[in-house]
Amino acid sequence: MYRVEDSERHIHLYKVEDSERHIHLYKVEDSKRHIHLYKVEDSERHIHLYKVEDSERHIHLNKVEDSERHIHLYKDKDSERHIHLYKVEDSERQAHLYRVEDSERHIHLYKVEDSERHIHLYKVEDSERHIHLYKVEDSERHIHLYKVEDSERHIHLYRVEDSERHIHLYKVEDSERHIHLYKVEDSERHIHLYKVEDSERHIHLYRVEDSERHIHLYKVEDSERHIHLYKVEDSERHIHLYKVEDSERHIHLYKDKDSERHIHLYKVEDSERHIHLYKVENSERHIHMYKVEDSERHIHLYRVEDSERHIHLYKVEDSERHIHLYKVEDSERHIHLYKVENSERHIHLYKVEDSERHIHLYKVEDSERHIHLYKVENSERHLHMYRVEDSERHIHQYRVEDSERHIHLYKVEDSERHIHLYKVEDSERHIHLYKVEDSERHIHLYKVEDSERHIHQYKVEDSERHIHLYKVEDSGRHIHLYKVEDSERHIHLYKVEDSERHIHLYKVED
């Protein structure tokens, strides 16, 4: 054991040598500067211990060297500033560990350097603010990991940076508000991904941004209300797509917005009521198209609106009842067109309304009974015209009503029996005219009724037998006139009956 005292410089030196245990101890006391130095050498275990105590500055330094295990340990204590520093160097494993404790500010700092695996680990603990910070650097794989824990605000933040693959990952957990936020940035592919989870409100939000292809994707999931929302924005092609799924009400909503072509597409699917709704808006051509599909009732509804040409088109398809309905409205030309098709009963109905010319046209086609019905109404001229075609019975019927002139015209054509019937009613002049043509028997029948003058006139023409019959009845003067012409036998017969004067006149010409 050795001791050296230097009273002038206030220094004491001590040395202890233990040759049996292969240990050397050293001490230096500097009472003037308030410093103590210590050293311990253990040659057998290849360990060196160092200590420095500075009582004036309230600092303690400690070091341990283990040459056999290639480890160095350091500890520094600053009691005045309330700071502790720790360091461990492992040269064999190429690792360094650091720790800093700041009890006054309630902060702990940690660092681990692994040069062999190219990894650095960092940790910061702030117990006063209840915050923990973590960082991991992997230089070989070009990855950085970050984490922040805020226990007071119940928030966790995470970040991962992968510089080799050009990817950044972010995560935020807010346990108090029950919200999780995620973000992924891929700078090489120019893609950003976002996600928000709100477990309290049962809502998930997603977003994808592809700046290279100019596409944004959005999704919202509301599990409490059973609703999913989707959106796609393609700024390069000027297209926006939307979708809403309501699983509780079994409804899906779709929207497709093409601003370049000025087209909007809409779709609604109601699977519970088995209904699909479609809508197309073309603002450039000023056209709107609608469609409704009711699969339960087997009905399809269509509508087209052309505001530029002022035309509306409608269509209804009822496949269960086998009925199709059509309507066309031309507001510029003031025309409405209607059509009804009943394939089960084999009937077609048509209607045309021309409000400008005050005309209505109607048509009915019954292909099963082989009948066609036509009607024309001209309200300006006060005319109604009707036509019936029965192709099975080979009969055509016509009717014209002129309410302004108080005239009705009728015609019946029976092509199978070769008969034509005509009738004219003039209610203003109180006259009725009738005609029957029988082309097979070569007979024509005529009748004129004048109710105002109380006169009836009849005529029968038999061209095959060359006979004409005439009759005139004057009920006002109580006179009847008859005439028979037989051109083949060259005979004429005449008769006059005057019932008031009780006179009959006869004449025969041969």
Side-chain angles (χ1 to χ4, degrees):
M1 179 178 178
Y2 306 88
R3 177 175 177 179
V4 178
E5 295 181 357
D6 186 340
S7 59
E8 187 177 6
R9 292 194 298 162
H10 304 282
I11 296 178
H12 289 188
L13 306 176
Y14 304 86
K15 178 178 179 182
V16 178
E17 296 180 355
D18 186 340
S19 58
E20 188 178 5
R21 291 167 52 202
H22 306 283
I23 295 178
H24 288 187
L25 308 177
Y26 305 85
K27 178 178 179 181
V28 179
E29 295 179 357
D30 186 338
S31 58
K32 187 177 180 178
R33 292 193 298 158
H34 305 284
I35 296 178
H36 289 189
L37 307 177
Y38 303 85
K39 178 177 178 182
V40 178
E41 296 180 354
D42 186 337
S43 58
E44 189 175 17
R45 291 192 299 158
H46 306 283
I47 295 177
H48 288 187
L49 307 179
Y50 305 85
K51 182 175 180 181
V52 178
E53 295 179 357
D54 186 338
S55 58
E56 189 177 17
R57 292 192 299 160
H58 306 283
I59 295 178
H60 288 191
L61 307 179
N62 301 277
K63 178 177 177 181
V64 178
E65 295 180 355
D66 186 338
S67 58
E68 190 176 16
R69 291 192 298 158
H70 306 282
I71 295 178
H72 288 188
L73 308 178
Y74 304 84
K75 178 180 177 182
D76 299 335
K77 179 180 178 183
D78 186 339
S79 57
E80 188 177 20
R81 294 169 55 205
H82 305 283
I83 295 179
H84 288 190
L85 306 178
Y86 304 84
K87 179 177 176 181
V88 178
E89 295 180 355
D90 186 338
S91 58
E92 189 175 18
R93 291 192 298 162
Q94 297 180 313
H96 288 185
L97 299 110
Y98 305 84
R99 178 175 174 182
V100 178
E101 297 179 358
D102 186 338
S103 57
E104 188 176 20
R105 292 192 298 158
H106 306 282
I107 295 178
H108 288 189
L109 308 177
Y110 304 84
K111 178 177 176 181
V112 178
E113 296 180 356
D114 186 338
S115 56
E116 188 177 15
R117 293 192 300 158
H118 305 283
I119 295 179
H120 287 187
L121 309 179
Y122 305 83
K123 179 178 177 181
V124 179
E125 296 179 357
D126 186 337
S127 57
E128 189 176 21
R129 294 193 300 156
H130 305 283
I131 295 179
H132 288 189
L133 308 178
Y134 304 83
K135 179 177 176 181
V136 179
E137 296 179 355
D138 185 337
S139 57
E140 189 174 21
R141 292 192 299 156
H142 305 282
I143 295 179
H144 287 187
L145 309 178
Y146 305 84
K147 179 178 178 181
V148 178
E149 296 179 357
D150 186 336
S151 57
E152 190 175 20
R153 293 192 300 157
H154 306 282
I155 295 179
H156 288 189
L157 309 178
Y158 304 83
R159 178 174 173 183
V160 179
E161 297 180 355
D162 186 337
S163 57
E164 189 175 19
R165 293 191 299 158
H166 305 282
I167 295 179
H168 288 188
L169 310 178
Y170 305 82
K171 179 178 177 181
V172 179
E173 296 179 357
D174 186 337
S175 57
E176 189 175 20
R177 293 167 53 206
H178 305 283
I179 296 179
H180 287 188
L181 310 177
Y182 305 83
K183 180 178 176 181
V184 179
E185 296 180 356
D186 186 337
S187 58
E188 190 175 21
R189 293 192 299 157
H190 305 283
I191 295 180
H192 287 188
L193 309 177
Y194 305 83
K195 179 178 178 182
V196 179
E197 296 179 358
D198 186 336
S199 57
E200 190 174 19
R201 292 192 301 155
H202 305 282
I203 295 179
H204 287 189
L205 309 177
Y206 305 83
R207 179 174 174 184
V208 179
E209 297 180 356
D210 186 337
S211 57
E212 190 174 20
R213 293 191 298 157
H214 305 283
I215 295 179
H216 287 188
L217 310 177
Y218 305 83
K219 179 178 178 182
V220 179
E221 296 179 357
D222 186 337
S223 57
E224 190 175 20
R225 293 192 301 156
H226 306 281
I227 295 180
H228 288 188
L229 311 177
Y230 305 83
K231 180 178 177 182
V232 179
E233 296 180 356
D234 186 337
S235 58
E236 191 175 21
R237 295 192 301 156
H238 305 283
I239 295 179
H240 287 189
L241 308 177
Y242 306 83
K243 179 178 178 182
V244 179
E245 296 180 356
D246 186 336
S247 58
E248 190 174 21
R249 293 192 300 156
H250 305 283
I251 295 180
H252 288 188
L253 310 177
Y254 305 84
K255 180 177 177 181
D256 185 349
K257 186 178 179 183
D258 187 337
S259 57
E260 190 175 19
R261 294 191 300 154
H262 306 281
I263 295 179
H264 288 190
L265 308 178
Y266 305 83
K267 180 177 178 183
V268 179
E269 296 180 355
D270 186 336
S271 57
E272 190 175 19
R273 293 192 300 156
H274 306 282
I275 295 179
H276 287 189
L277 310 177
Y278 305 83
K279 180 178 177 181
V280 180
E281 296 180 357
N282 187 326
S283 57
E284 190 176 23
R285 295 172 54 204
H286 305 283
I287 295 179
H288 288 189
M289 292 175 273
Y290 306 83
K291 180 177 178 183
V292 180
E293 296 179 356
D294 187 336
S295 57
E296 191 174 21
R297 293 192 302 155
H298 306 283
I299 295 179
H300 288 189
L301 310 177
Y302 305 83
R303 179 175 174 183
V304 179
E305 298 178 358
D306 186 337
S307 57
E308 190 175 20
R309 294 191 298 157
H310 306 283
I311 295 179
H312 288 190
L313 310 177
Y314 305 84
K315 180 177 177 182
V316 179
E317 296 180 356
D318 186 337
S319 57
E320 190 174 17
R321 293 191 301 156
H322 306 283
I323 295 179
H324 286 189
L325 309 178
Y326 306 83
K327 180 178 177 182
V328 179
E329 296 179 356
D330 186 337
S331 57
E332 191 175 20
R333 294 166 53 204
H334 305 283
I335 295 179
H336 288 189
L337 309 177
Y338 306 83
K339 180 177 178 183
V340 180
E341 297 179 356
N342 187 329
S343 58
E344 190 175 21
R345 293 173 51 203
H346 305 284
I347 295 179
H348 287 188
L349 310 177
Y350 305 84
K351 180 178 177 182
V352 179
E353 296 179 356
D354 186 337
S355 57
E356 192 174 18
R357 294 192 298 156
H358 305 283
I359 295 179
H360 287 189
L361 308 177
Y362 305 83
K363 180 178 178 182
V364 179
E365 297 180 355
D366 185 338
S367 58
E368 191 175 18
R369 293 191 299 157
H370 306 284
I371 295 179
H372 287 188
L373 309 178
Y374 304 84
K375 179 179 177 181
V376 180
E377 296 178 358
N378 188 327
S379 57
E380 191 176 21
R381 294 174 51 202
H382 304 283
L383 284 180
H384 287 190
M385 291 174 274
Y386 306 84
R387 178 176 174 184
V388 179
E389 297 180 356
D390 186 338
S391 58
E392 190 175 19
R393 292 167 52 206
H394 304 285
I395 296 178
H396 287 188
Q397 304 181 29
Y398 306 85
R399 178 177 173 184
V400 179
E401 297 178 357
D402 186 338
S403 57
E404 190 176 20
R405 294 192 297 156
H406 305 283
I407 295 178
H408 288 189
L409 308 177
Y410 304 85
K411 178 178 177 182
V412 178
E413 296 179 356
D414 185 338
S415 58
E416 191 175 17
R417 293 191 298 157
H418 306 284
I419 295 178
H420 287 188
L421 308 178
Y422 304 84
K423 179 179 177 181
V424 179
E425 296 179 357
D426 186 338
S427 57
E428 191 175 17
R429 297 192 312 171
H430 305 282
I431 296 178
H432 288 188
L433 308 177
Y434 304 85
K435 179 178 178 182
V436 179
E437 296 179 355
D438 185 338
S439 58
E440 190 176 19
R441 293 166 52 203
H442 305 284
I443 296 178
H444 287 187
L445 308 178
Y446 304 85
K447 179 180 178 182
V448 178
E449 296 179 357
D450 186 338
S451 58
E452 190 176 19
R453 292 167 52 207
H454 304 285
I455 296 178
H456 288 189
Q457 302 181 28
Y458 305 85
K459 179 177 178 182
V460 177
E461 296 179 355
D462 185 338
S463 58
E464 191 175 16
R465 292 191 298 156
H466 306 284
I467 295 178
H468 287 188
L469 307 178
Y470 304 86
K471 179 180 178 181
V472 178
E473 297 179 355
D474 187 339
S475 58
R477 292 191 298 158
H478 304 281
I479 296 177
H480 287 188
L481 307 178
Y482 302 86
K483 179 178 177 181
V484 177
E485 296 180 356
D486 185 339
S487 58
E488 190 176 14
R489 293 192 298 159
H490 306 284
I491 296 177
H492 287 189
L493 307 176
Y494 303 87
K495 180 179 178 182
V496 178
E497 296 179 355
D498 186 338
S499 58
E500 190 177 16
R501 293 165 53 203
H502 303 284
I503 297 176
H504 287 191
L505 304 178
Y506 302 86
K507 179 179 179 182
V508 177
E509 293 181 356
D510 188 343

